[in-house]
Every structure is written in structure tokens, then in C-alpha cells.
Amino acid sequence: MRKTALLFVLLFCWTAADGVAGEEAIYVGVKKCKVCHIKIYQTWKDTKHALAFDKLNEQEKQDPKCTECHTTGKDVTFPGIQCEACHAPGSKFTSATIMNKKKYEADPEGQRKMAIEAGLIIAPNEASCKLCHNERSPHYKPFDFKARYEEIKHKNK
């Protein structure tokens, strides 16, 4: 009886943990963002961030130490520094309930609040940039967050 109860408790915990893990936001990729944010996409697509993965040679494209910073989410299926590298994995805030032009026009602050509550980061901070722009990089140059942020920021559209 005790073994059965223990097995039941373990099974319950495993199932509960699996459900929590399933709730974690996942990356959706720039194609999803581009649908609504085409102007931002157009200014991004030829930047150093967008082309970061392309700068790697074939060996580096297989090296996790390189792909960690030259892809989004450390995933080669999301090459380059895409939207979600700065704004967080989008599966929860890119839903039609939140990213909805009509709803946004009717209540911009409410929609913005919902997006933030769902995980959207409006603007990256220095710490998030320095996850890659640091001394570990073989091509490191001193990083001035304020100056570099001015080069990459865009209006919310």
C-alpha cells in the first residue's frame, strides 16, 4: 500500500512539473513578429544583429559557444539576433488576444499592459546586452550600452 501511495505521489508530482514546464514561453521567430511590425523588420533585416549568424564559419555554426550569442534562444533555427533576443520569447504575448491592432487602437495602455504581463520586454537593459557583448567574445570591443542602444532602438509599431 505504501509503495502504491508513493508511486501515486511521484506520478502526480511528475505530471504537475510537466504541466508547469509546458507553460514556459517559447521562441516563435522573426517571421511571426514581421507580420505586424514590418517597418521595424525592414530596418532590422540588414543589421549586424540580423546577420550575426551569417558571420560565423561552418565550424563556428556548430559550436555552442558561438551559437549562444549568434542565434536567438541558442537555437540555430532562429539565426541572428532576432526580436525575441531583446524582447523575450514571444509565444505568450504574440497571441491574437494581445497583439491585435484593433484592440491596441481602442486601448493601447491596456494591450501594452497585457503584453508586458505575458512576458514582453519593451526595451532591453544593459545586463541583457552584456550577456553577449562581454570579454568572453573573441571579438570583444569595449561596450558602451547608451551609445550602442541608440544605434538599435526603434519605435514601437
Side-chain angles (χ1 to χ4, degrees):
M1 180 68 170
R2 290 174 79 184
K3 286 182 181 180
T4 304
L6 179 60
L7 182 61
F8 179 78
V9 169
L10 289 173
L11 182 61
F12 175 78
C13 291
W14 177 71
T15 304
D18 188 45
V20 170
E23 293 176 15
E24 189 173 317
I26 60 171
Y27 292 92
V28 297
V30 69
K31 290 179 183 177
K32 178 110 175 162
C33 305
K34 172 183 164 182
V35 171
C36 297
H37 302 281
I38 189 67
K39 289 179 184 176
I40 292 171
Y41 170 81
Q42 292 294 338
T43 62
W44 165 84
K45 68 181 179 70
D46 296 318
T47 65
K48 288 179 182 180
H49 275 158
L51 304 173
F53 188 72
D54 298 338
K55 299 296 181 186
L56 300 176
N57 64 38
E58 290 308 310
Q59 183 178 355
E60 292 168 329
K61 287 179 180 179
Q62 306 302 317
D63 185 342
K65 288 184 280 184
C66 299
T67 59
E68 178 179 346
C69 289
H70 287 261
T71 64
T72 297
K74 303 176 187 179
D75 185 340
V76 296
T77 62
F78 299 118
I81 313 310
Q82 298 185 14
C83 311
E84 295 164 289
C86 298
H87 299 290
S91 63
K92 291 187 176 184
F93 60 80
T94 59
S95 71
T97 304
I98 296 173
M99 292 291 172
N100 182 302
K101 188 174 182 176
K102 288 182 182 179
K103 289 181 180 182
Y104 181 81
E105 288 171 352
D107 182 15
E109 286 308 312
Q111 291 302 111
R112 181 181 174 102
K113 183 178 183 229
M114 282 177 33
I116 291 169
E117 288 171 354
L120 174 67
I121 296 171
I122 299 296
N125 61 28
E126 185 170 3
S128 64
C129 295
K130 284 189 170 181
L131 291 173
C132 291
H133 293 280
N134 62 48
E135 293 82 5
R136 285 184 18 231
S137 168
H139 307 289
Y140 176 72
K141 296 175 187 163
F143 184 74
D144 179 348
F145 174 74
K146 288 182 182 180
R148 298 294 295 277
Y149 185 72
E150 289 301 314
E151 295 172 7
I152 65 157
K153 74 177 184 179
H154 47 259
K155 292 181 180 178
N156 297 327
K157 295 233 179 200

